[in-house]
């Protein structure tokens, strides 16, 4: 919901106070985009010198999101897996900030379980946040293949 097909996007890797690798800022082109499931694939003009995060079907009791809300400093949050229904992963106590759509939802092993799309937690602790599962995105994508996804 943040980009459209063929849009050009600016992508930054390892931009933080003490990076654990080489920072990279590059452009990319949106090659695939959908609203249900809500995701986009971006072909980068230059690839970072890091291995991609592996996709998983395996949820764990605790999940994490590494986010850069509105392009700001990195925020890492952790919370509880709540449920999965028709490809939507729900999680509680996992705070996200405005502008964090597209952040990866990671399982306890650090594999990508979902892509965060909705922040519906309330200040009183009720509600839950949501994202589309990697499995649902792979099944909708013309680029991603079932072999890209594993039960790890």
């Amino acid at each position: 919901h943040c980009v459209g097909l063929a849009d050009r996007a600016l992508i930054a890797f390892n931009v933080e106070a003490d990076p654990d690798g080489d920072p990279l800022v590059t452009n990319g082109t949106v090659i695939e985009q959908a609203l249900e499931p809500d995701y986009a694939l971006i072909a980068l003009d230059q690839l970072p010198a890091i291995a991609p995060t592996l996709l998983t079907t395996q949820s764990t009791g605790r999940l994490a999101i590494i986010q850069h809300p509105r392009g700001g400093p990195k925020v890492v949050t952790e919370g509880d897996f709540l449920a999965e229904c028709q490809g939507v992963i729900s999680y509680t106590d996992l705070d996200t900030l405005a502008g964090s759509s597209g952040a990866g939802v990671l399982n306890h092993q650090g594999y990508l379980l979902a892509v965060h799309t909705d922040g519906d937690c309330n200040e009183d602790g009720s509600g839950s946040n949501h994202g589309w599962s990697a499995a649902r995105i792979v099944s909708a994508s013309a680029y991603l293949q079932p072999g890209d996804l594993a039960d790890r």
Side-chain angles (χ1 to χ4, degrees):
H1 62 258
C2 297
V3 294
L5 193 59
D7 282 357
R8 295 284 292 162
L10 182 67
I11 311 293
F13 295 89
N14 241 347
V15 179
E16 54 188 271
D18 294 312
D20 58 356
D22 293 329
L24 169 66
V25 178
T26 187
N27 289 301
T29 303
V30 178
I31 59 171
E32 186 172 69
Q33 184 269 340
L35 294 177
E36 192 167 312
D38 187 356
Y39 75 100
L41 296 180
I42 300 172
L44 301 176
D45 292 353
Q46 183 180 355
L47 295 178
I50 57 171
T53 302
L54 299 175
L55 306 179
T56 186
T57 59
Q58 185 66 46
S59 64
T60 52
R62 297 291 285 174
L63 302 173
I65 293 180
I66 301 170
Q67 55 192 309
H68 290 268
R70 293 190 173 133
K74 177 171 69 174
V75 176
V76 179
T77 57
E78 183 180 351
D80 294 322
F81 169 81
L82 178 62
E84 179 176 356
C85 181
Q86 298 181 340
V88 176
I89 304 284
S90 299
Y91 28 94
T92 58
D93 301 329
L94 203 162
D95 293 334
T96 56
L97 301 169
S100 292
S101 292
V105 180
L106 307 173
N107 71 5
H108 189 70
Q109 288 77 23
Y111 300 128
L112 186 72
L113 175 66
V115 173
H116 173 72
T117 57
D118 257 334
D120 291 328
C121 282
N122 302 313
E123 286 185 26
D124 67 3
S126 63
S128 64
N129 288 336
H130 312 281
W132 285 97
S133 72
R136 179 68 176 90
I137 292 169
V138 167
S139 72
S141 175
Y143 290 90
L144 301 172
Q145 301 299 311
D148 295 329
L149 188 65
D151 192 23
R152 20 180 160 251

